[in-house]
Short mmCIF file of all heavy atoms in Angstrom, two decimals:
data_model
loop_
_atom_site.label_atom_id
_atom_site.label_comp_id
_atom_site.label_asym_id
_atom_site.label_seq_id
_atom_site.Cartn_x
_atom_site.Cartn_y
_atom_site.Cartn_z
N VAL A 1 -6.73 -44.72 -31.08
CA VAL A 1 -5.80 -44.69 -29.94
C VAL A 1 -6.16 -45.69 -28.84
O VAL A 1 -5.28 -46.10 -28.07
CB VAL A 1 -5.71 -43.28 -29.30
CG1 VAL A 1 -5.30 -42.24 -30.32
CG2 VAL A 1 -7.02 -42.88 -28.61
N LEU A 2 -7.41 -46.09 -28.76
CA LEU A 2 -7.84 -46.84 -27.57
C LEU A 2 -7.23 -48.23 -27.41
O LEU A 2 -6.89 -48.62 -26.27
CB LEU A 2 -9.37 -46.96 -27.54
CG LEU A 2 -10.06 -45.96 -26.61
CD1 LEU A 2 -11.57 -46.18 -26.61
CD2 LEU A 2 -9.51 -46.04 -25.20
N PRO A 3 -7.07 -49.03 -28.46
CA PRO A 3 -6.51 -50.36 -28.21
C PRO A 3 -5.17 -50.31 -27.48
O PRO A 3 -4.93 -51.08 -26.54
CB PRO A 3 -6.37 -50.95 -29.62
CG PRO A 3 -7.47 -50.29 -30.39
CD PRO A 3 -7.51 -48.88 -29.87
N ALA A 4 -4.29 -49.38 -27.87
CA ALA A 4 -2.98 -49.28 -27.21
C ALA A 4 -3.13 -48.75 -25.80
O ALA A 4 -2.41 -49.18 -24.88
CB ALA A 4 -2.05 -48.39 -28.03
N MET A 5 -4.03 -47.80 -25.58
CA MET A 5 -4.26 -47.29 -24.22
C MET A 5 -4.78 -48.40 -23.31
O MET A 5 -4.33 -48.56 -22.17
CB MET A 5 -5.27 -46.13 -24.25
CG MET A 5 -4.74 -44.81 -24.78
SD MET A 5 -6.00 -43.50 -24.66
CE MET A 5 -5.06 -42.05 -25.15
N ARG A 6 -5.71 -49.19 -23.81
CA ARG A 6 -6.27 -50.26 -22.99
C ARG A 6 -5.22 -51.32 -22.67
O ARG A 6 -5.22 -51.89 -21.58
CB ARG A 6 -7.47 -50.90 -23.70
CG ARG A 6 -8.72 -50.06 -23.65
CD ARG A 6 -9.94 -50.81 -24.14
NE ARG A 6 -9.88 -51.17 -25.55
CZ ARG A 6 -9.52 -52.35 -26.04
NH1 ARG A 6 -9.17 -53.33 -25.22
NH2 ARG A 6 -9.52 -52.56 -27.35
N ASP A 7 -4.32 -51.55 -23.61
CA ASP A 7 -3.27 -52.54 -23.37
C ASP A 7 -2.41 -52.19 -22.16
O ASP A 7 -1.96 -53.08 -21.44
CB ASP A 7 -2.37 -52.68 -24.61
CG ASP A 7 -3.00 -53.51 -25.71
OD1 ASP A 7 -4.01 -54.20 -25.44
OD2 ASP A 7 -2.49 -53.48 -26.85
N VAL A 8 -2.19 -50.89 -21.96
CA VAL A 8 -1.34 -50.47 -20.83
C VAL A 8 -2.18 -49.96 -19.66
O VAL A 8 -1.63 -49.51 -18.65
CB VAL A 8 -0.33 -49.39 -21.28
CG1 VAL A 8 0.65 -49.96 -22.29
CG2 VAL A 8 -1.03 -48.16 -21.83
N LYS A 9 -3.51 -50.03 -19.81
CA LYS A 9 -4.44 -49.59 -18.76
C LYS A 9 -4.12 -48.17 -18.27
O LYS A 9 -4.06 -47.87 -17.06
CB LYS A 9 -4.45 -50.57 -17.58
CG LYS A 9 -5.13 -51.89 -17.92
CD LYS A 9 -5.41 -52.71 -16.68
CE LYS A 9 -6.27 -53.93 -17.02
NZ LYS A 9 -7.60 -53.59 -17.54
N SER A 10 -3.94 -47.29 -19.23
CA SER A 10 -3.62 -45.90 -18.90
C SER A 10 -3.95 -45.03 -20.09
O SER A 10 -3.83 -45.45 -21.24
CB SER A 10 -2.13 -45.77 -18.55
OG SER A 10 -1.78 -44.43 -18.31
N GLY A 11 -4.35 -43.80 -19.81
CA GLY A 11 -4.60 -42.86 -20.89
C GLY A 11 -5.69 -41.87 -20.52
O GLY A 11 -6.41 -42.04 -19.52
N LEU A 12 -5.79 -40.83 -21.33
CA LEU A 12 -6.79 -39.79 -21.12
C LEU A 12 -7.28 -39.32 -22.49
O LEU A 12 -6.47 -39.05 -23.38
CB LEU A 12 -6.19 -38.61 -20.36
CG LEU A 12 -7.02 -37.31 -20.30
CD1 LEU A 12 -8.33 -37.53 -19.55
CD2 LEU A 12 -6.20 -36.19 -19.65
N ILE A 13 -8.60 -39.25 -22.63
CA ILE A 13 -9.21 -38.69 -23.84
C ILE A 13 -9.96 -37.42 -23.43
O ILE A 13 -10.83 -37.47 -22.55
CB ILE A 13 -10.17 -39.69 -24.50
CG1 ILE A 13 -9.39 -40.90 -25.02
CG2 ILE A 13 -10.94 -39.03 -25.65
CD1 ILE A 13 -10.25 -42.04 -25.49
N ILE A 14 -9.59 -36.30 -24.04
CA ILE A 14 -10.27 -35.03 -23.80
C ILE A 14 -11.02 -34.66 -25.07
O ILE A 14 -10.42 -34.52 -26.14
CB ILE A 14 -9.27 -33.91 -23.43
CG1 ILE A 14 -8.61 -34.21 -22.09
CG2 ILE A 14 -9.97 -32.56 -23.40
CD1 ILE A 14 -7.57 -33.18 -21.67
N ASN A 15 -12.32 -34.52 -24.96
CA ASN A 15 -13.15 -34.10 -26.08
C ASN A 15 -13.60 -32.66 -25.86
O ASN A 15 -14.18 -32.33 -24.82
CB ASN A 15 -14.37 -35.01 -26.22
CG ASN A 15 -13.99 -36.40 -26.69
OD1 ASN A 15 -13.02 -36.59 -27.41
ND2 ASN A 15 -14.76 -37.40 -26.28
N VAL A 16 -13.31 -31.80 -26.83
CA VAL A 16 -13.68 -30.39 -26.72
C VAL A 16 -15.09 -30.23 -27.26
O VAL A 16 -15.33 -30.31 -28.47
CB VAL A 16 -12.70 -29.49 -27.48
CG1 VAL A 16 -13.11 -28.02 -27.34
CG2 VAL A 16 -11.28 -29.69 -26.96
N ALA A 17 -16.03 -30.02 -26.36
CA ALA A 17 -17.42 -29.80 -26.74
C ALA A 17 -17.69 -28.30 -26.69
O ALA A 17 -16.97 -27.51 -27.30
CB ALA A 17 -18.36 -30.58 -25.81
N SER A 18 -18.70 -27.88 -25.96
CA SER A 18 -19.08 -26.47 -25.88
C SER A 18 -20.17 -26.36 -24.83
O SER A 18 -20.87 -27.34 -24.55
CB SER A 18 -19.61 -25.99 -27.23
OG SER A 18 -20.25 -24.73 -27.11
N GLN A 19 -20.33 -25.16 -24.26
CA GLN A 19 -21.51 -25.01 -23.40
C GLN A 19 -22.78 -25.17 -24.23
O GLN A 19 -23.84 -25.55 -23.71
CB GLN A 19 -21.49 -23.67 -22.67
CG GLN A 19 -21.69 -22.44 -23.52
CD GLN A 19 -21.66 -21.18 -22.67
OE1 GLN A 19 -21.05 -21.13 -21.61
NE2 GLN A 19 -22.32 -20.13 -23.13
N LEU A 20 -22.67 -24.97 -25.56
CA LEU A 20 -23.82 -25.20 -26.43
C LEU A 20 -24.05 -26.68 -26.70
O LEU A 20 -24.95 -27.04 -27.46
CB LEU A 20 -23.64 -24.46 -27.76
CG LEU A 20 -23.72 -22.93 -27.67
CD1 LEU A 20 -23.47 -22.30 -29.02
CD2 LEU A 20 -25.08 -22.49 -27.12
N GLY A 21 -23.26 -27.54 -26.06
CA GLY A 21 -23.55 -28.97 -26.06
C GLY A 21 -24.41 -29.37 -24.87
O GLY A 21 -24.74 -30.56 -24.72
N ARG A 22 -24.78 -28.39 -24.04
CA ARG A 22 -25.65 -28.66 -22.88
C ARG A 22 -26.82 -27.70 -22.81
O ARG A 22 -27.85 -28.01 -22.23
CB ARG A 22 -24.85 -28.57 -21.58
CG ARG A 22 -23.69 -29.55 -21.48
CD ARG A 22 -24.15 -30.98 -21.42
NE ARG A 22 -24.21 -31.49 -20.05
CZ ARG A 22 -24.64 -32.69 -19.71
NH1 ARG A 22 -25.06 -33.52 -20.65
NH2 ARG A 22 -24.66 -33.08 -18.46
N VAL A 23 -26.67 -26.50 -23.38
CA VAL A 23 -27.76 -25.53 -23.48
C VAL A 23 -27.88 -25.14 -24.94
O VAL A 23 -26.94 -25.29 -25.72
CB VAL A 23 -27.50 -24.29 -22.60
CG1 VAL A 23 -27.50 -24.66 -21.13
CG2 VAL A 23 -26.19 -23.60 -22.97
N ILE A 24 -29.03 -24.62 -25.33
CA ILE A 24 -29.31 -24.41 -26.75
C ILE A 24 -29.73 -22.96 -27.00
O ILE A 24 -30.59 -22.42 -26.29
CB ILE A 24 -30.44 -25.34 -27.23
CG1 ILE A 24 -30.04 -26.80 -26.98
CG2 ILE A 24 -30.74 -25.12 -28.71
CD1 ILE A 24 -31.16 -27.78 -27.23
N ALA A 25 -29.11 -22.36 -28.01
CA ALA A 25 -29.52 -21.05 -28.49
C ALA A 25 -30.02 -21.21 -29.93
O ALA A 25 -29.49 -22.04 -30.68
CB ALA A 25 -28.35 -20.08 -28.46
N PRO A 26 -31.05 -20.46 -30.33
CA PRO A 26 -31.54 -20.56 -31.71
C PRO A 26 -30.49 -20.12 -32.71
O PRO A 26 -29.60 -19.32 -32.42
CB PRO A 26 -32.74 -19.60 -31.73
CG PRO A 26 -33.11 -19.40 -30.30
CD PRO A 26 -31.84 -19.52 -29.52
#
């Protein structure tokens, strides 16, 4: 998606991570 977004200098990318992407449980 990025080449077309950059061409128009507009866009949003939302990545769904997790609180477990910042803290760790065994």
Side-chain angles (χ1 to χ4, degrees):
V1 303
L2 260 182
M5 285 184 173
R6 285 190 294 99
D7 282 347
V8 295
K9 289 193 172 297
S10 177
L12 168 63
I13 295 171
I14 294 178
N15 290 330
V16 181
S18 167
Q19 69 180 26
L20 291 178
R22 300 294 262 177
V23 295
I24 302 171

